[in-house]
Every structure is written in structure tokens, then in C-alpha cells.
Amino acid sequence: MNNNYLKLFICLYLSFFLTIIVNGQQCWNKDNLSWRSGGDRKLTLNGVEITIQGIAWFGMETGTFSPGGLQSQSVESILDILVATGFNALRLPFSVDMLINKRYPNHINYSLNPNLQGKTALEVLQYITSESGKRGILIVLEQHRFDPADYISPLWYTTECFKNVDGVCINYTEQMVIDSWINLTNLFKQYWNLWALDIKNEPHDPVTWGTGNPSTDWDKAFVRIVNQIDSSTNFNGVYFIEGVQNNQGICSNMYNNWWGGNMSPVRCFPIYLNQPNRVVYAPHTYCSSVFDQEFFNAPDYPNNMPTVWDAEFGFLADNVPTNQYAVLLGEWGCKVNTTKNSLFMDRFTQYLNDKNMKSHLFFSLNPDSADTDSILYEDWKTVNQKTMNYLRKINSSPSKFTPNGNQICLGQVSTISTIGSSTTTASQSTTTTTTGTGSTTSKPTTTGGSGSSTTTTKPSTTTTTTTTTTGGSSTTGSSNVKAVIKQTIRQTWFDGTNTNTLVDCTLTNPSSSPIPIPRFAIDKTPSSSWELNLVSSNIVSFTSWNNQISPGQTLSFGYIVSSSTVITFTQI
């Protein structure tokens, strides 16, 4: 091959992936996203490592055929809160019944959710997926039940028929389940953010793994099901396999395992699909608020727990010869209402850090979960900061997926343009505003100095990304020193009436002397904010901080505004 042909081949090969580097960030065409797991136990997008902080949003798998909270909030508002608190993945359970029959939600406030009016449960699932994609949230579709009245079957098929709401008795065979998965995947693969398929929720006794019994061996069934889905859909994402329970003691650990929680048989019976690097091990685990396992009452609790977790699933994060795939906590949670459960959360988050297990799906988004905490309080609006503080110990900066036209960018996009400037009198500050795209971590918290604090976020809102910097002039060593505000537009979106903007901000003292906490006149009023006190329609102050800012100290705040441009702050 001569040099000209070689150059042409390299250009064609690179253009196939349509990778674009924007100021150090990588972007790909939405039609060329390759999500993988392994062979070095990492999750990747087009070969670049990613980490996932996700959450389960249940309800649609039940007889309401409705995601929780939609009587109190809109889909858009709930998704906006997820982005504002740093979640990049959403696990959505469903029943097979709602895939093969037209089922209509019966627990939605349509005045809050007019875009869902007249939609079937399946169409609501599509709408949530589409809106999540606009906000950079990945979707995990999870088969939770066969019939809404079924609860959770141990096997991946039924051994007797279930009478559905129409009075028809349905026997869910393996092939029926496969066909429903194929139809669902072909329908949803139009969405760039369809990342993972969770094939069966919580297999449990009498399910087995590697025993040679074709009617109970979940590992062999998973391979059969996934290979058929893969060959019939060309799905380019990953497949979750959950563990079993006790596996009849065969290549298993000595503990009573959670449903879907026992991955120890992988040591003896690894998984191989027709397509490589597509498996994610997704075990489930909980604290005593779900079930008071014997190991929670051991004399050396909680110091005994790393040994338990290692045996159940933690070994998969190590260099185990039989494992090449990533491990991600597919479901976990705890209601921190006792000392025992508080000890669990402290030790478990430390354990995940020790094992470098950054990716997880928390249970749950729903504050009405009976035995686990949520990231929200009962109003479906106010963020439970106590829960979020635990989650930030695991992964304070999960991967950021930024929609940018027909591309998906990993991290921030940074195309710089000017949107305007204004000049004030000498006693005020000179303010220049520039914009580009950017991203930040989850909900802003105050930092630096003894005056730092963390407060609960208000509902937040999202969907694109831009960076804004507002600077002020300074007079060093006097009370006239002007603070510097840096603004980062995390997301913008259109709600059908207005363009909305979610902005993360930092306020810094650039001088060598302390300055009083400043007050600012603003040109537009936020629709919601955190760390800001709205004194009047056009004045803001920062009353949750101390009465001054130390030299070099940076304090964080944020807001949402019904505008495509950010607030202009003028110090007074």
C-alpha cells in the first residue's frame, strides 16, 4: 500500500467515528456512539472512559402505569432536578404487559404534564427518554415485572399464566420476553441516550447460575436472550446482568444474598456473548432498612461488611481472571433512620471509594419508597441534601454528556462568543459578559474559609451548556473592592413558553483584603435559586454566608432564569 492510499484509509477510518475535538473536549455524531464495557473493567463511550451516577424512577411497572411524582411535578421539572444534582443516568422500570398491550397512565396531573395527555404508558416512556436525551441523561430500560400484579418473579419466564387487567390469562414464555425486548429496543434505538438494557430485575431462588439446569440457570438464559436482541436490533449499548441469590451453594458465598445480588458464581462461570465488551455486571445490595441480614448484627459490624461485599460482588472490581467487564451497582439504597443504617452508609461509600467503584444507580428518585431514602423530599421538589452528601462521596464529578446540535460531547464544549457588556459608574463595577459552552459538577455548594456552608437546592432546570463570566473592577484594601462573579450556564431548554437557563456561579474576592458580603442589582429575577436571598425584585444578597469574604475565598451559588441570557450583576 503506497503512502497516498494509506493516508486515504486513515482519513476514512477516522471519519467513520466522526469524532470532533473542541478545545480539548471530544464530540461524536449521535449516530456513531459506541457504548462498551471492558476488556479492562471500564465503561467507555467510543473508547473514552466514563463514570455513571444514576437513579431509579419507579412507578410505570405498577398498575398506575405512571412514573411516580407526576401528580406533583412535570417530567421536565423532575429531569431538571436530576441534572442540577449531577445525575447522568436514569433507570426506568416497566412491565412486559405495558409493552404488548395499550395501557394508559392513571396517576398523572395533566395540567402539569400537558405533553403526556392522551399518551399510552409506552409513549410516556418514550417521552421521558426523549426529554432525558435533551438534558444529557442516559437511559437504562429495565424489565421489572411481567404483569403489574406480579411483583417480581424469580425466573425470566413464568411457570403459570397471569390474569391481566383485561381478564386474559397470559403465560410469559422466554420467547415472548425476547420478542418484547426486540420490539422495545427497535423502537427506542432512535434515541441517542438509550445506553443499557437491564434484562431481568432481581433473579432469586430457585434461580441458579452455572449448575447445568436449563430451566433455572440465569447465566445461560441471559446469553440466549441478549444474543437474540443483539442480532435483531443492532443495539450499540450495553446489557446489564444482575446476580442471583444463593445458587444452591454451587460456587457461591456463605451469606444469605440479596435478590439479584450474588455475583460470586462469575468466578466459575463467566459470561460470553456473541459480541464482545457488552456486559455490565449490575448487582443489587441494601442496608438493614430493606431486610435485616445477619451480617448487619455481627459483633464487628460495620467492619465486617467489606468482607461481605467482596464476596458478593466487590471482587469483580479487582483483576479477576474470569472477569473483563465493568461492575456497576445496579440498585442500592438505605433509609438512614437508625445508627446501624448510618454506619452502613458511611462504610459503604468508603468501600466503593476504596474499590474505585464510581459508577452506580441509586434507589430511588421516589420519596415514597417505603424502605430507602430518596434524593427528594415528599414535595418532589426539594432536594434531600443529606442523601446527596452520601452520593457525592462516591462520585463528585460523574461524566457529563452534552448534546450539541447533532453531536454528543463528553464534558464541556467551549465555543466562545460575546453577548454584551455594560459600564457603570466608578463607585460600581465594570461588567463584561462573555459566553461559551461549559459544564460543572452537581449542585453548587459554598466552599472556602470557616464561613462555608452547604444548603439544600431548590428545584433546578436544564438542557444545553454555555459558560458566562462576569468580572468586576477592584480597589485593593478598601471597602470599595468589587467581587468577581464567574457564571457557567449548565443547561438551557425551551418549556413550550419560555427559554430557561440553569446557571452555576462562583463569587470570589480577588484582593488581598477582606471585603463585606456584597449586594447586587440584577437585570432579571431568577425563577429559583440557591444561596441567593431575593430581597426585592432587582436586588440580591448572600445571607447564608459570613459577613465578609476572605482574600482569595470563593463562594458558590446558582439560579434558574426564564431567559436565554444570564443575569447581569451590578455591585451596589
PDB file of all heavy atoms in Angstrom, residues 445-454 506-509 517 531 544-546 548-556:
ATOM      1  N   THR A 445     -22.118  24.121  46.004  1.00  0.00           N
ATOM      2  CA  THR A 445     -22.026  24.245  47.453  1.00  0.00           C
ATOM      3  C   THR A 445     -21.020  25.329  47.765  1.00  0.00           C
ATOM      4  O   THR A 445     -20.111  25.598  46.997  1.00  0.00           O
ATOM      5  CB  THR A 445     -21.540  22.933  48.100  1.00  0.00           C
ATOM      6  OG1 THR A 445     -20.294  22.566  47.500  1.00  0.00           O
ATOM      7  CG2 THR A 445     -22.539  21.808  47.891  1.00  0.00           C
ATOM      8  N   THR A 446     -21.166  25.986  48.906  1.00  0.00           N
ATOM      9  CA  THR A 446     -20.220  27.027  49.276  1.00  0.00           C
ATOM     10  C   THR A 446     -18.942  26.393  49.772  1.00  0.00           C
ATOM     11  O   THR A 446     -18.939  25.359  50.399  1.00  0.00           O
ATOM     12  CB  THR A 446     -20.814  27.917  50.372  1.00  0.00           C
ATOM     13  OG1 THR A 446     -21.132  27.114  51.502  1.00  0.00           O
ATOM     14  CG2 THR A 446     -22.062  28.612  49.883  1.00  0.00           C
ATOM     15  N   THR A 447     -17.830  27.041  49.446  1.00  0.00           N
ATOM     16  CA  THR A 447     -16.538  26.485  49.799  1.00  0.00           C
ATOM     17  C   THR A 447     -15.627  27.575  50.314  1.00  0.00           C
ATOM     18  O   THR A 447     -15.820  28.756  50.076  1.00  0.00           O
ATOM     19  CB  THR A 447     -15.874  25.837  48.574  1.00  0.00           C
ATOM     20  OG1 THR A 447     -15.766  26.842  47.561  1.00  0.00           O
ATOM     21  CG2 THR A 447     -16.679  24.660  48.052  1.00  0.00           C
ATOM     22  N   GLY A 448     -14.566  27.131  50.981  1.00  0.00           N
ATOM     23  CA  GLY A 448     -13.517  28.046  51.362  1.00  0.00           C
ATOM     24  C   GLY A 448     -13.783  28.775  52.659  1.00  0.00           C
ATOM     25  O   GLY A 448     -14.804  29.402  52.833  1.00  0.00           O
ATOM     26  N   GLY A 449     -12.838  28.714  53.596  1.00  0.00           N
ATOM     27  CA  GLY A 449     -12.943  29.505  54.821  1.00  0.00           C
ATOM     28  C   GLY A 449     -13.932  28.944  55.806  1.00  0.00           C
ATOM     29  O   GLY A 449     -14.731  28.073  55.534  1.00  0.00           O
ATOM     30  N   SER A 450     -13.895  29.449  57.022  1.00  0.00           N
ATOM     31  CA  SER A 450     -14.780  28.967  58.066  1.00  0.00           C
ATOM     32  C   SER A 450     -16.216  29.340  57.820  1.00  0.00           C
ATOM     33  O   SER A 450     -17.119  28.790  58.421  1.00  0.00           O
ATOM     34  CB  SER A 450     -14.338  29.535  59.423  1.00  0.00           C
ATOM     35  OG  SER A 450     -14.379  30.951  59.391  1.00  0.00           O
ATOM     36  N   GLY A 451     -16.436  30.275  56.908  1.00  0.00           N
ATOM     37  CA  GLY A 451     -17.800  30.702  56.617  1.00  0.00           C
ATOM     38  C   GLY A 451     -18.492  29.850  55.585  1.00  0.00           C
ATOM     39  O   GLY A 451     -19.574  30.175  55.154  1.00  0.00           O
ATOM     40  N   SER A 452     -17.877  28.754  55.135  1.00  0.00           N
ATOM     41  CA  SER A 452     -18.503  27.950  54.094  1.00  0.00           C
ATOM     42  C   SER A 452     -19.667  27.175  54.660  1.00  0.00           C
ATOM     43  O   SER A 452     -19.724  26.835  55.814  1.00  0.00           O
ATOM     44  CB  SER A 452     -17.488  26.983  53.477  1.00  0.00           C
ATOM     45  OG  SER A 452     -17.089  26.041  54.426  1.00  0.00           O
ATOM     46  N   SER A 453     -20.639  26.900  53.800  1.00  0.00           N
ATOM     47  CA  SER A 453     -21.802  26.127  54.206  1.00  0.00           C
ATOM     48  C   SER A 453     -22.385  25.435  53.003  1.00  0.00           C
ATOM     49  O   SER A 453     -22.058  25.755  51.880  1.00  0.00           O
ATOM     50  CB  SER A 453     -22.854  27.036  54.841  1.00  0.00           C
ATOM     51  OG  SER A 453     -23.345  27.951  53.884  1.00  0.00           O
ATOM     52  N   THR A 454     -23.251  24.466  53.240  1.00  0.00           N
ATOM     53  CA  THR A 454     -23.937  23.768  52.174  1.00  0.00           C
ATOM     54  C   THR A 454     -25.418  23.823  52.458  1.00  0.00           C
ATOM     55  O   THR A 454     -25.849  23.536  53.562  1.00  0.00           O
ATOM     56  CB  THR A 454     -23.487  22.299  52.119  1.00  0.00           C
ATOM     57  OG1 THR A 454     -22.079  22.255  51.924  1.00  0.00           O
ATOM     58  CG2 THR A 454     -24.168  21.566  50.965  1.00  0.00           C
ATOM     59  N   THR A 506     -19.783  31.304  40.801  1.00  0.00           N
ATOM     60  CA  THR A 506     -18.859  31.467  41.922  1.00  0.00           C
ATOM     61  C   THR A 506     -18.590  32.952  42.114  1.00  0.00           C
ATOM     62  O   THR A 506     -18.506  33.712  41.143  1.00  0.00           O
ATOM     63  CB  THR A 506     -17.525  30.736  41.675  1.00  0.00           C
ATOM     64  OG1 THR A 506     -16.918  31.231  40.471  1.00  0.00           O
ATOM     65  CG2 THR A 506     -17.733  29.244  41.579  1.00  0.00           C
ATOM     66  N   LEU A 507     -18.475  33.355  43.371  1.00  0.00           N
ATOM     67  CA  LEU A 507     -18.155  34.730  43.725  1.00  0.00           C
ATOM     68  C   LEU A 507     -16.821  34.710  44.459  1.00  0.00           C
ATOM     69  O   LEU A 507     -16.651  33.963  45.424  1.00  0.00           O
ATOM     70  CB  LEU A 507     -19.258  35.327  44.588  1.00  0.00           C
ATOM     71  CG  LEU A 507     -19.121  36.801  44.976  1.00  0.00           C
ATOM     72  CD1 LEU A 507     -20.497  37.441  45.106  1.00  0.00           C
ATOM     73  CD2 LEU A 507     -18.377  36.943  46.307  1.00  0.00           C
ATOM     74  N   THR A 508     -15.876  35.521  44.003  1.00  0.00           N
ATOM     75  CA  THR A 508     -14.512  35.477  44.531  1.00  0.00           C
ATOM     76  C   THR A 508     -14.053  36.871  44.947  1.00  0.00           C
ATOM     77  O   THR A 508     -14.368  37.865  44.281  1.00  0.00           O
ATOM     78  CB  THR A 508     -13.539  34.927  43.468  1.00  0.00           C
ATOM     79  OG1 THR A 508     -13.988  33.641  43.052  1.00  0.00           O
ATOM     80  CG2 THR A 508     -12.126  34.794  44.032  1.00  0.00           C
ATOM     81  N   ASN A 509     -13.315  36.922  46.047  1.00  0.00           N
ATOM     82  CA  ASN A 509     -12.625  38.146  46.453  1.00  0.00           C
ATOM     83  C   ASN A 509     -11.246  38.131  45.814  1.00  0.00           C
ATOM     84  O   ASN A 509     -10.375  37.353  46.198  1.00  0.00           O
ATOM     85  CB  ASN A 509     -12.503  38.200  47.976  1.00  0.00           C
ATOM     86  CG  ASN A 509     -11.667  39.376  48.466  1.00  0.00           C
ATOM     87  OD1 ASN A 509     -11.268  40.233  47.690  1.00  0.00           O
ATOM     88  ND2 ASN A 509     -11.403  39.411  49.771  1.00  0.00           N
ATOM     89  N   ILE A 517     -19.697  41.068  52.523  1.00  0.00           N
ATOM     90  CA  ILE A 517     -20.558  40.344  51.600  1.00  0.00           C
ATOM     91  C   ILE A 517     -21.306  41.367  50.748  1.00  0.00           C
ATOM     92  O   ILE A 517     -22.002  42.242  51.282  1.00  0.00           O
ATOM     93  CB  ILE A 517     -21.549  39.449  52.349  1.00  0.00           C
ATOM     94  CG1 ILE A 517     -20.817  38.266  52.981  1.00  0.00           C
ATOM     95  CG2 ILE A 517     -22.640  38.940  51.419  1.00  0.00           C
ATOM     96  CD1 ILE A 517     -20.259  37.272  51.987  1.00  0.00           C
ATOM     97  N   GLU A 531     -28.517  29.702  47.631  1.00  0.00           N
ATOM     98  CA  GLU A 531     -27.536  30.599  48.249  1.00  0.00           C
ATOM     99  C   GLU A 531     -27.836  32.075  47.963  1.00  0.00           C
ATOM    100  O   GLU A 531     -27.109  32.953  48.399  1.00  0.00           O
ATOM    101  CB  GLU A 531     -26.092  30.289  47.824  1.00  0.00           C
ATOM    102  CG  GLU A 531     -25.622  28.894  48.172  1.00  0.00           C
ATOM    103  CD  GLU A 531     -25.457  28.661  49.650  1.00  0.00           C
ATOM    104  OE1 GLU A 531     -25.695  29.586  50.446  1.00  0.00           O
ATOM    105  OE2 GLU A 531     -25.090  27.544  50.018  1.00  0.00           O
ATOM    106  N   SER A 544     -26.661  33.625  53.613  1.00  0.00           N
ATOM    107  CA  SER A 544     -26.268  32.368  54.259  1.00  0.00           C
ATOM    108  C   SER A 544     -24.772  32.297  54.518  1.00  0.00           C
ATOM    109  O   SER A 544     -24.291  31.369  55.144  1.00  0.00           O
ATOM    110  CB  SER A 544     -26.697  31.178  53.399  1.00  0.00           C
ATOM    111  OG  SER A 544     -26.012  31.193  52.158  1.00  0.00           O
ATOM    112  N   TRP A 545     -24.006  33.287  54.009  1.00  0.00           N
ATOM    113  CA  TRP A 545     -22.585  33.301  54.237  1.00  0.00           C
ATOM    114  C   TRP A 545     -22.234  34.222  55.404  1.00  0.00           C
ATOM    115  O   TRP A 545     -23.075  34.951  55.927  1.00  0.00           O
ATOM    116  CB  TRP A 545     -21.856  33.767  52.963  1.00  0.00           C
ATOM    117  CG  TRP A 545     -22.053  32.841  51.799  1.00  0.00           C
ATOM    118  CD1 TRP A 545     -22.303  31.503  51.856  1.00  0.00           C
ATOM    119  CD2 TRP A 545     -22.051  33.192  50.415  1.00  0.00           C
ATOM    120  NE1 TRP A 545     -22.432  30.994  50.599  1.00  0.00           N
ATOM    121  CE2 TRP A 545     -22.286  31.995  49.690  1.00  0.00           C
ATOM    122  CE3 TRP A 545     -21.869  34.378  49.721  1.00  0.00           C
ATOM    123  CZ2 TRP A 545     -22.332  31.969  48.305  1.00  0.00           C
ATOM    124  CZ3 TRP A 545     -21.914  34.343  48.333  1.00  0.00           C
ATOM    125  CH2 TRP A 545     -22.139  33.154  47.643  1.00  0.00           C
ATOM    126  N   ASN A 546     -20.950  34.215  55.788  1.00  0.00           N
ATOM    127  CA  ASN A 546     -20.492  35.145  56.819  1.00  0.00           C
ATOM    128  C   ASN A 546     -20.588  36.586  56.314  1.00  0.00           C
ATOM    129  O   ASN A 546     -20.912  36.835  55.155  1.00  0.00           O
ATOM    130  CB  ASN A 546     -19.049  34.823  57.222  1.00  0.00           C
ATOM    131  CG  ASN A 546     -18.999  33.641  58.170  1.00  0.00           C
ATOM    132  OD1 ASN A 546     -20.025  33.123  58.568  1.00  0.00           O
ATOM    133  ND2 ASN A 546     -17.803  33.199  58.511  1.00  0.00           N
ATOM    134  N   GLN A 548     -18.307  38.667  55.604  1.00  0.00           N
ATOM    135  CA  GLN A 548     -17.244  39.139  54.728  1.00  0.00           C
ATOM    136  C   GLN A 548     -16.644  37.961  53.953  1.00  0.00           C
ATOM    137  O   GLN A 548     -16.824  36.809  54.317  1.00  0.00           O
ATOM    138  CB  GLN A 548     -16.144  39.861  55.511  1.00  0.00           C
ATOM    139  CG  GLN A 548     -15.357  38.958  56.448  1.00  0.00           C
ATOM    140  CD  GLN A 548     -14.245  39.722  57.176  1.00  0.00           C
ATOM    141  OE1 GLN A 548     -14.290  40.940  57.280  1.00  0.00           O
ATOM    142  NE2 GLN A 548     -13.255  39.004  57.658  1.00  0.00           N
ATOM    143  N   ILE A 549     -15.930  38.301  52.890  1.00  0.00           N
ATOM    144  CA  ILE A 549     -15.242  37.288  52.083  1.00  0.00           C
ATOM    145  C   ILE A 549     -13.747  37.470  52.271  1.00  0.00           C
ATOM    146  O   ILE A 549     -13.216  38.566  52.084  1.00  0.00           O
ATOM    147  CB  ILE A 549     -15.580  37.431  50.585  1.00  0.00           C
ATOM    148  CG1 ILE A 549     -17.093  37.539  50.380  1.00  0.00           C
ATOM    149  CG2 ILE A 549     -15.039  36.256  49.784  1.00  0.00           C
ATOM    150  CD1 ILE A 549     -17.494  37.808  48.944  1.00  0.00           C
ATOM    151  N   SER A 550     -13.060  36.411  52.652  1.00  0.00           N
ATOM    152  CA  SER A 550     -11.612  36.477  52.871  1.00  0.00           C
ATOM    153  C   SER A 550     -10.878  36.619  51.537  1.00  0.00           C
ATOM    154  O   SER A 550     -11.418  36.273  50.476  1.00  0.00           O
ATOM    155  CB  SER A 550     -11.138  35.207  53.584  1.00  0.00           C
ATOM    156  OG  SER A 550     -11.797  35.051  54.818  1.00  0.00           O
ATOM    157  N   PRO A 551      -9.639  37.093  51.568  1.00  0.00           N
ATOM    158  CA  PRO A 551      -8.862  37.213  50.327  1.00  0.00           C
ATOM    159  C   PRO A 551      -8.752  35.866  49.614  1.00  0.00           C
ATOM    160  O   PRO A 551      -8.405  34.851  50.222  1.00  0.00           O
ATOM    161  CB  PRO A 551      -7.495  37.702  50.817  1.00  0.00           C
ATOM    162  CG  PRO A 551      -7.795  38.416  52.095  1.00  0.00           C
ATOM    163  CD  PRO A 551      -8.923  37.662  52.721  1.00  0.00           C
ATOM    164  N   GLY A 552      -9.073  35.852  48.348  1.00  0.00           N
ATOM    165  CA  GLY A 552      -8.981  34.639  47.555  1.00  0.00           C
ATOM    166  C   GLY A 552     -10.098  33.633  47.764  1.00  0.00           C
ATOM    167  O   GLY A 552     -10.152  32.605  47.084  1.00  0.00           O
ATOM    168  N   GLN A 553     -10.991  33.902  48.714  1.00  0.00           N
ATOM    169  CA  GLN A 553     -12.070  32.955  49.007  1.00  0.00           C
ATOM    170  C   GLN A 553     -13.092  32.941  47.872  1.00  0.00           C
ATOM    171  O   GLN A 553     -13.418  33.958  47.283  1.00  0.00           O
ATOM    172  CB  GLN A 553     -12.769  33.332  50.313  1.00  0.00           C
ATOM    173  CG  GLN A 553     -13.844  32.345  50.747  1.00  0.00           C
ATOM    174  CD  GLN A 553     -14.502  32.731  52.052  1.00  0.00           C
ATOM    175  OE1 GLN A 553     -14.162  33.755  52.640  1.00  0.00           O
ATOM    176  NE2 GLN A 553     -15.426  31.914  52.512  1.00  0.00           N
ATOM    177  N   THR A 554     -13.587  31.741  47.567  1.00  0.00           N
ATOM    178  CA  THR A 554     -14.598  31.574  46.528  1.00  0.00           C
ATOM    179  C   THR A 554     -15.845  30.956  47.137  1.00  0.00           C
ATOM    180  O   THR A 554     -15.771  29.965  47.864  1.00  0.00           O
ATOM    181  CB  THR A 554     -14.080  30.666  45.392  1.00  0.00           C
ATOM    182  OG1 THR A 554     -12.985  31.309  44.745  1.00  0.00           O
ATOM    183  CG2 THR A 554     -15.172  30.409  44.359  1.00  0.00           C
ATOM    184  N   LEU A 555     -16.996  31.544  46.854  1.00  0.00           N
ATOM    185  CA  LEU A 555     -18.280  31.059  47.332  1.00  0.00           C
ATOM    186  C   LEU A 555     -19.158  30.724  46.127  1.00  0.00           C
ATOM    187  O   LEU A 555     -19.074  31.383  45.090  1.00  0.00           O
ATOM    188  CB  LEU A 555     -18.959  32.114  48.203  1.00  0.00           C
ATOM    189  CG  LEU A 555     -18.130  32.611  49.392  1.00  0.00           C
ATOM    190  CD1 LEU A 555     -18.795  33.799  50.065  1.00  0.00           C
ATOM    191  CD2 LEU A 555     -17.926  31.494  50.402  1.00  0.00           C
ATOM    192  N   SER A 556     -19.979  29.706  46.267  1.00  0.00           N
ATOM    193  CA  SER A 556     -20.751  29.210  45.132  1.00  0.00           C
ATOM    194  C   SER A 556     -22.241  29.434  45.321  1.00  0.00           C
ATOM    195  O   SER A 556     -22.758  29.367  46.434  1.00  0.00           O
ATOM    196  CB  SER A 556     -20.498  27.709  44.934  1.00  0.00           C
ATOM    197  OG  SER A 556     -19.134  27.454  44.668  1.00  0.00           O
TER     198      SER A 556
END
